[in-house]
Amino acid sequence: MTLEQQESVLLTQQRRGYHRLRFSDVLENEFVEHRVQRIRRRLLLIISAAVIFQLVYTALDLLLLTPSIGLSLLPVRAVGIAGALWAFFYCRRPQSPARRALLAYVAAYGLNGACVAVIINLSWSQGLVMPYDGLFLVLLFGYVLLGVSFRAVSTASWGVCGLFLLLGFLSTGGSATLGYQGMFLFCANVIGSAGAYLQEHGQRGAWLNLRLLDLARQRAEADDGRKLRLLAAASHDLRQPLNAMGLYAQHLLEQNQDPGVHRISSRLAVAVEQLSRLLQSLFDYTRLTLPGGVQAKLEVFALRPLLTRLTDETRSEACAAATELQLQCPDIWVRSDPLLLERVLRNLLSNALRHAQARNVWLHARVEQGVVQLEVGDDGQGLSEEQQGQVFEEFRQLANPGRNAERGLGLGLAIVQQLAQLLDHPLQLQSSLGAGSRFILQLPQADAGQWQPPAPAANALTGRILLLEDDPAGREALSGLLQRWGCEVWACADPAQALQCMAHAQPQVLISDYRLAATEDGLRAIERLREEAGLMLPALLITADIGADLQERCTRAHVTLLGKPLLPARLRQALAVLLPD
């Protein structure tokens, strides 16, 4: 049944009620399975208690009673123990049908109760007045601990008491003492049956509520899955033309030397970059708010190279803002996700440079009691206590009432908070008006490993590139830009055409879009092209759907992953590393 149909059946049953302790056939079967699973989880405890109960009384029989009476009772107790052990091994088998397992479980209870009734009457027949307290303990065990249905435990308990009274009547012919005992057991059964009814009624109601909650959870997960798929589709479909637009703008900027055209194309390139960053922030935050949208891949790495590269890349922005950027970091190794940690630090640095109005911005790392304190601070205008509670809110921009798009969407710190929670890195904000702000991230320190510095980037771009892109506009824009940079480019629309070009082109670098119109994706196409060449050619994979799984696949395949919209500077930097000197 679908989720909607299951919910309808459960709500219908909830409205009708279950005073007779019976669901519809479909729900009753599910409830029986649920009950059997609960019994199996505590089966060892229940059966162990029953066996210990019989063994203790067996020892007491042998120690306190005469040898003849004690030995005469021994076979009866052995039957009870054997029945309990048989029920244990039968019920714990996964292939045992649920209803038969319940029947065996209740039968073992009834058998042990019958053994107690027989033992009491055997003792009476041999002149020993044995109290019937043991039978009361059996009833208490069944009604309180057994955990079966009201009908099953009541039938077994009333049957055991009936057998006791029948044997007593046959052996004594009836007496006032037996009548008193029968009245006591009758009252005990009435109380126990009423309690079992109320207990099962409550269990059935709780089970219905749990099933409805589980369906609500499944529906929420299904909705999240649909949102993730919608996000991936929208991300790809929106970034595809935006990617081509950015490449065309860069191509126009480099090709045309007319001052007017150059000024317009420069503004167009800036506008495309702003739009791509805004879109990236929006998609990133949406993906972070969905369960499973982003998964952390923790690893041990050196912190200082990451911070050095990050400050070097940010220094031009700091110079443009007339801000001095400082870095202090000893040789420290940490355990984190380097990609997500870089995103956190990049957002914090960008926030400080754009909004703090500071003369100095610093990135400091130190170790305190085995914990790395990673601080991004500034000496800017600072934040009041009220503002400190607002800066992590979505779309909140304290100094941008006009919603200037150049200053972002107000999602940077919200993304930082989400990523810090995902990485399990506590984040603290210390600030006051006029005294700047300090964002402190706590990372677990790790033992030093081996780190290989990246190869220095080459200055010139010359080489043979095979480009695989099924979108005509994106293929034309990217190939034109690569040719403008001095590369020889073979642009192909599908993997079959790319395979045909391999022998003639003899490429030095492969570039492919991830989502292709063909049956295989871009990563698989790169693998086929490498097999055709017989070489492990350097490769770039371009996609709008940068997920943890794809990043892991690219890492295993030694493929560099770039996101859309593709920034020309980032592409040029990657090619400078991959192309031979």
Side-chain angles (χ1 to χ4, degrees):
M1 291 190 294
T2 63
L3 295 179
E4 290 76 11
Q5 291 172 334
Q6 294 180 50
E7 185 177 27
S8 176
V9 171
L10 289 167
L11 290 175
T12 300
Q13 184 67 66
Q14 200 173 51
R15 287 193 299 268
R16 289 178 179 175
Y18 34 90
H19 299 295
R20 296 183 179 180
L21 301 183
R22 180 77 184 179
F23 292 148
S24 62
D25 292 340
V26 175
L27 292 182
E28 188 66 24
N29 290 333
E30 293 184 12
F31 183 71
V32 169
E33 290 285 350
H34 166 73
R35 170 169 282 159
V36 170
Q37 292 299 324
R38 291 182 66 243
I39 289 174
R40 282 173 174 159
R41 285 195 294 268
R42 57 181 187 171
L43 184 63
L44 179 61
L45 176 64
I46 299 298
I47 297 299
S48 298
V51 171
I52 291 173
F53 174 84
Q54 290 286 12
L55 290 175
V56 168
Y57 272 88
T58 299
L60 292 176
D61 291 343
L62 296 175
L63 292 174
L64 302 179
L65 303 181
T66 61
S68 60
I69 296 177
L71 292 174
S72 67
L73 301 180
L74 189 59
V76 182
R77 295 201 183 275
V79 170
I81 293 174
L85 293 175
W86 171 80
F88 172 74
F89 288 109
Y90 182 80
C91 294
R92 71 192 297 264
R93 294 168 63 242
Q95 59 268 33
S96 298
R99 293 187 182 276
R100 291 186 180 180
L102 276 178
L103 182 61
Y105 186 61
V106 176
Y109 163 71
L111 178 62
N112 276 266
C115 289
V116 173
V118 170
I119 287 170
I120 295 174
N121 280 277
L122 279 176
S123 301
W124 289 355
S125 66
Q126 299 182 56
L128 176 65
V129 181
M130 179 177 284
Y132 63 100
D133 296 350
L135 199 59
F136 178 72
L137 291 177
V138 171
L139 297 180
L140 187 65
F141 187 90
Y143 284 120
V144 175
L145 297 180
L146 206 60
V148 295
S149 67
F150 156 77
R151 292 183 178 86
V153 70
S154 297
T155 301
S157 299
W158 283 94
V160 168
C161 292
L163 176 64
F164 169 76
L165 295 175
L166 177 61
L167 293 176
F169 180 80
L170 293 177
S171 61
T172 63
S175 64
T177 302
L178 183 64
Y180 174 80
Q181 293 173 347
M183 182 58 66
F184 178 83
L185 293 175
F186 174 81
C187 293
N189 266 307
V190 169
I191 294 173
S193 297
Y197 176 87
L198 294 175
Q199 185 181 34
E200 183 175 355
H201 192 275
Q203 288 176 351
R204 288 178 177 265
W207 181 79
L208 284 177
N209 290 331
L210 285 175
R211 289 283 287 112
L212 288 170
L213 285 174
D214 185 60
L215 288 178
R217 178 189 59 80
Q218 293 181 42
R219 178 173 292 180
E221 290 178 352
D223 289 342
D224 289 339
R226 284 193 291 269
K227 290 176 183 177
L228 280 173
R229 291 191 295 271
L230 175 62
L231 180 64
S235 175
H236 180 268
D237 294 344
L238 288 176
R239 295 185 203 201
Q240 194 81 337
L242 190 61
N243 180 60
M245 189 187 306
L247 296 175
Y248 278 129
Q250 183 68 24
H251 186 51
L252 182 63
L253 183 63
E254 295 181 0
Q255 189 174 23
N256 199 302
Q257 301 302 322
D258 181 81
V261 176
H262 193 275
R263 184 174 61 257
I264 295 174
S265 58
S266 177
R267 293 178 179 176
L268 176 61
V270 172
V272 171
E273 183 175 353
Q274 290 177 359
L275 180 58
S276 66
R277 293 186 186 276
L278 296 178
L279 193 62
Q280 182 68 44
S281 297
L282 188 60
F283 281 129
D284 284 349
Y285 182 75
T286 305
R287 186 179 287 108
L288 281 169
T289 56
L290 294 175
V294 177
Q295 297 180 354
K297 300 291 185 180
L298 300 181
E299 58 182 80
V300 175
F301 61 95
L303 182 61
R304 186 174 180 178
L306 172 64
L307 301 187
T308 301
R309 178 174 57 83
L310 192 58
T311 52
D312 289 343
E313 294 177 1
T314 315
R315 201 168 299 280
S316 60
E317 184 178 356
C319 292
T323 302
E324 182 180 353
L325 183 59
Q326 306 170 4
L327 170 64
Q328 292 182 10
C329 178
D331 292 329
I332 304 174
W333 290 73
V334 296
R335 180 175 179 82
S336 181
D337 185 319
L339 294 177
L340 298 183
L341 178 62
E342 179 181 346
R343 184 64 191 275
V344 170
L345 297 176
R346 194 178 294 276
N347 279 14
L348 289 175
L349 286 174
S350 176
N351 180 76
L353 292 173
R354 292 184 181 184
H355 307 297
Q357 300 179 9
R359 292 184 177 180
N360 297 282
V361 173
W362 59 83
L363 181 56
H364 293 172
R366 62 186 182 276
V367 181
E368 294 182 0
Q369 299 179 349
V371 177
V372 177
Q373 306 285 340
L374 190 54
E375 177 182 324
V376 178
D378 64 76
D379 60 357
Q381 58 187 349
L383 300 168
S384 65
E385 291 187 5
E386 181 182 1
Q387 290 174 330
Q388 291 178 40
Q390 297 174 348
V391 291
F392 293 107
E393 296 179 4
E394 301 87 345
F395 304 103
R396 172 72 71 172
Q397 292 180 308
L398 300 179
N400 189 19
R403 306 297 297 178
N404 184 355
E406 293 183 359
R407 306 189 68 181
L409 287 175
L411 288 174
L413 293 182
I415 292 175
V416 165
Q417 187 178 52
Q418 292 278 356
L419 288 175
Q421 293 174 357
L422 178 66
L423 293 169
D424 196 20
H425 296 342
L427 177 65
Q428 299 177 1
L429 169 59
Q430 300 176 2
S431 181
S432 59
L433 284 176
S437 303
R438 297 165 59 210
F439 292 86
I440 303 174
L441 200 65
Q442 298 180 2
L443 285 70
Q445 188 180 12
D447 295 333
Q450 294 184 353
W451 177 76
Q452 297 295 333
N459 294 324
L461 284 186
T462 56
R464 299 182 300 276
I465 296 176
L466 191 145
L467 171 64
L468 179 55
E469 169 64 80
D470 61 335
D471 180 63
R475 185 171 63 252
E476 181 182 354
L478 184 53
S479 62
L481 183 61
L482 293 173
Q483 290 171 356
R484 179 69 183 171
W485 288 344
C487 299
E488 298 181 62
V489 182
W490 283 261
C492 304
D494 55 64
Q497 184 181 359
L499 288 171
Q500 293 176 358
C501 291
M502 283 295 296
H504 174 65
Q506 296 184 358
Q508 296 167 303
V509 172
L510 304 175
I511 300 178
S512 175
D513 187 38
Y514 177 63
R515 287 178 177 261
L516 301 173
T519 55
E520 58 186 5
D521 58 44
L523 192 56
R524 178 57 187 150
I526 289 174
E527 293 174 355
R528 289 183 58 194
L529 292 173
R530 283 172 168 175
E531 293 173 0
E532 178 69 19
L535 298 172
M536 194 68 174
L537 293 172
L540 285 171
L541 186 68
I542 303 172
T543 179
D545 310 323
I546 299 181
D549 292 339
L550 182 57
Q551 290 177 357
E552 185 175 354
R553 287 181 60 195
C554 289
T555 301
R556 291 198 304 265
H558 301 283
V559 174
T560 302
L561 186 63
L562 296 180
K564 288 183 180 180
L566 186 60
L567 300 178
R570 184 71 180 274
L571 174 62
R572 187 183 182 95
Q573 182 182 17
L575 288 176
V577 175
L578 297 179
L579 285 170
D581 295 335

